[in-house]
Amino acid sequence: MSLESRVLTGYIPKHIAIIMDGNGRWAKKRNLPRTFGHKKGSENLKNITSVCNEIGIKALSVYAFSTENWKRPKEEIDYLMDLPSEFEETFKGKFKEEDIRVIFSGRRDRFPVKVQELINRVEEKTKDRQGLILNICFDYGSYTEILEGVKAISESYKKGEIKLEDINEDLMNSHLYTKELPKLDLLIRTSGEERISNFLLWQLAYSELFFAKKHWPAFNRKELFKALDNFQKRNRRFGGLKGDKK
């Protein structure tokens, strides 16, 4: 049985996340500018999103720009700010055909106005689509996400809208950027790095982790199926004993 056939007969995760690492290193190995690596990475995101939609994954969260990435060189930041506009044609074209919905997670107040407008426009135009949800984490940091949720809950408590006993896991989940998405099953990080880097810390509590050696622009369909095959071989115990039912 081929790798793809084996994976497709097993459990397909509902929600996977990818730290798309290695664009710059992929470009450097080829004596190309880092921005070219980001361009190839952007093209690869479109391809991997389509594959995930094809095989029945419900949500794909990707780490496109972190709250710490503002420290990068201005030229690189300026290029990254233009990536959402490069995607807009895909959102209207291929993704429309595939019924893919797009949402953005993270802060929005630090973006240029044109980027904020584009984000709002894309979310509005794709909101009724029924295929995979592509969650683009842009100016995202998990510390910020959790702190914003805690502040909102605290404000509700202060106003008397909720009681102390109302504060639980479900309430916290409802204040996260991912509140509309299924629970996270699998996190993949490319380029061989084995860190979480402030990404989906709350959501990762019982997720499986897979660290791929390939840089993101080289992480293709076959590499995705390798990660899914590895995931399907895990015994997910969720705090119980080996052999317990989920």
Side-chain angles (χ1 to χ4, degrees):
M1 184 181 290
S2 70
L3 172 64
E4 288 202 14
S5 297
R6 184 167 67 247
V7 168
L8 293 174
T9 57
Y11 173 75
I12 301 297
K14 292 181 174 62
H15 182 189
I16 70 171
I18 303 178
I19 299 176
M20 304 180 294
D21 198 8
N23 289 339
R25 277 164 285 170
W26 179 90
K28 186 177 180 181
K29 284 177 64 177
R30 292 159 177 79
N31 295 314
L32 296 166
R34 286 177 60 86
T35 52
F36 187 81
H38 289 304
K39 180 176 176 58
K40 295 300 290 185
S42 175
E43 293 172 0
N44 193 43
L45 174 56
K46 299 170 187 177
N47 295 333
I48 294 298
T49 299
S50 292
V51 176
C52 289
N53 186 51
E54 172 195 328
I55 65 177
I57 292 170
K58 302 301 182 186
L60 169 63
S61 293
V62 295
Y63 211 2
F65 189 85
S66 79
T67 51
E68 289 75 34
N69 285 157
W70 292 104
K71 302 172 187 175
R72 293 188 176 187
K74 184 179 184 302
E75 178 188 7
E76 187 172 344
I77 292 174
D78 289 344
Y79 180 82
L80 290 169
M81 288 301 104
D82 284 335
L83 283 179
S85 61
E86 285 188 23
F87 257 74
E88 189 167 21
E89 288 304 313
T90 305
F91 298 150
K92 292 189 291 188
K94 186 177 182 183
F95 282 8
K96 182 177 181 180
E97 293 172 8
E98 297 176 355
D99 212 25
I100 292 171
R101 180 184 173 194
V102 183
I103 63 174
F104 289 82
S105 292
R107 293 185 58 172
R108 302 191 182 188
D109 58 305
R110 296 190 284 188
F111 294 141
V113 173
K114 68 174 185 177
V115 175
Q116 295 181 40
E117 291 174 346
L118 185 147
I119 286 172
N120 293 334
R121 185 165 65 246
V122 167
E123 288 187 330
E124 178 63 25
K125 288 184 176 180
T126 67
K127 66 180 182 180
D128 296 323
R129 295 183 187 174
Q130 300 300 308
L132 173 142
I133 300 174
L134 173 60
N135 175 33
I136 300 177
C137 299
F138 206 57
D139 199 6
Y140 172 90
S142 196
Y143 285 173
T144 300
E145 177 184 29
I146 293 170
L147 285 171
E148 285 183 357
V150 170
K151 287 177 182 178
I153 291 170
S154 299
E155 189 66 26
S156 294
Y157 176 74
K158 182 179 177 181
K159 291 179 179 178
E161 296 170 349
I162 59 172
K163 299 176 181 178
L164 190 62
E165 55 267 27
D166 295 328
I167 302 175
N168 55 27
E169 182 180 333
D170 289 337
L171 183 64
M172 187 66 201
N173 283 328
S174 72
H175 283 79
L176 299 177
Y177 300 138
T178 54
K179 56 183 176 292
E180 296 182 66
L181 306 182
K183 286 187 177 180
L184 184 61
D185 289 307
L186 170 66
L187 169 75
I188 300 168
R189 181 169 187 153
T190 59
S191 86
E193 301 291 347
E194 297 185 1
R195 295 186 298 275
I196 304 305
S197 298
N198 194 22
F199 187 48
L200 300 175
L201 299 180
W202 177 279
Q203 296 86 340
L204 278 169
Y206 282 105
S207 302
E208 298 297 321
L209 309 180
F210 182 85
F211 300 103
K213 294 183 188 263
K214 296 278 187 180
H215 296 315
W216 172 244
F219 186 85
N220 56 20
R221 181 187 182 103
K222 183 177 180 181
E223 296 301 318
L224 174 64
F225 273 88
K226 285 181 182 178
L228 294 174
D229 186 51
N230 182 279
F231 166 79
Q232 290 175 347
K233 292 174 180 175
R234 307 277 182 94
N235 179 24
R236 304 184 73 198
R237 300 192 297 275
F238 300 93
L241 299 175
K242 187 173 182 179
D244 284 356
K245 293 182 180 180
K246 293 181 183 180

